[in-house]
Amino acid sequence: MPKIAVVLCAGGDNGALQVGMLRSLLSRLCDPVRIWRGSSVGSINAAWMGQASATCPGLQMPYARTLEHLWTEEIAGAHSIYKKPCWLSQGIRIFLKGRAMLDPAPLKSLLRKKIDMHLLRTSGADVAVQAVDLVTGELKDYHPDDLDWWAGFDGSWSIPLTFPAVCSPTFSEVLADSGVMSQSPLPSAVHAGADVVYVLATHQLYREAGKLKVLHPYSTPSVFYDYWAKASEKDKAVRALDLMIAEVLIGDIERTQFWTRAVCRDPAFATKRPIELHILSPRKMFPGTSLDFEPSIIRAQIEHGKEIGADPTTWL
């Protein structure tokens, strides 16, 4: 039985694309997903799916359906994710107290109610989420059996300046969004021994002259004046972070492909198995920023994700 891994990338509310991809992908697999890896919003989707038994693919599909319910019914807009203070309070928080712009208390409360740690620990799946330790600069994996799991999980999606960083229970780590250093935990899945890896990207990727590239939807002059001239400082900060981490995903994928080529060609790697890598990427992007969580957009993203997951000819 091949060891299948699903890698869920960062992307804010674009994580809804992954929900649709999972619905279609799981219906195609004959073997269960045994490794789940998540970064930022992908950590939420990975932790949710990691509750499902890793013994049979049919037992994982119901969790994909309830994940869609979470995104479409439990998340009813940005207010389901964070509290946004008034402009005066926000200014005081940032400039006088150095605090984050938004309070993610609604999301934390929702996830504590919906994620069952007993199921996560007994499902038989290898589940890990990633967060960055701002003290050491180290990118770390956090597993359900770790004592500091919840700190690592919350830190994984705590975007700097936007959401507050998370202190570990021992106060030895200060954790923030893993997207600061890695848009995708693909290397972690490879190190876990995956034979087949499905990367569910939230950026629109394409190939040009044989090289994988990221399409930036708001980079053309006409779109720039229509969108960015009106964007808030929060939107610009999120976009700046997005630009910093987008190319990291490309590097992760290229290194994995290089490893596979080496395994196939070099006799020195005869005892190693090549990695079968599939990249699922949206064919179009959606209006707004990654922190909008607009219900109508989320539903459209899920449907588009289903289309991508159902059509392997679109995979990279």
Side-chain angles (χ1 to χ4, degrees), residues 215-227:
L215 178 64
H216 299 294
Y218 300 123
S219 58
T220 59
S222 60
V223 175
F224 176 88
Y225 290 111
D226 289 342
Y227 181 80

Side-chain angles (χ1 to χ4, degrees), residues 89-167:
S89 174
Q90 185 173 346
I92 293 173
R93 286 166 62 89
I94 296 172
F95 296 109
L96 296 184
K97 298 184 178 181
R99 296 180 180 173
M101 291 188 291
L102 305 173
D103 177 4
L107 178 59
K108 283 187 178 182
S109 176
L110 177 63
L111 295 175
R112 293 299 191 277
K113 293 176 182 177
K114 298 295 182 178
I115 293 179
D116 187 322
M117 291 305 300
H118 175 72
L119 291 177
L120 259 180
R121 290 169 177 152
T122 60
S123 67
D126 179 350
V127 182
V129 301
Q130 290 190 330
V132 174
D133 182 359
L134 298 179
V135 177
T136 64
E138 184 181 357
L139 182 66
K140 298 183 177 182
D141 280 0
Y142 292 86
H143 299 263
D145 287 330
D146 294 340
L147 294 177
D148 51 358
W149 156 264
W150 280 115
F153 178 71
D154 292 341
S156 180
W157 47 263
S158 294
I159 304 170
L161 295 181
T162 304
F163 296 139
V166 178
C167 288

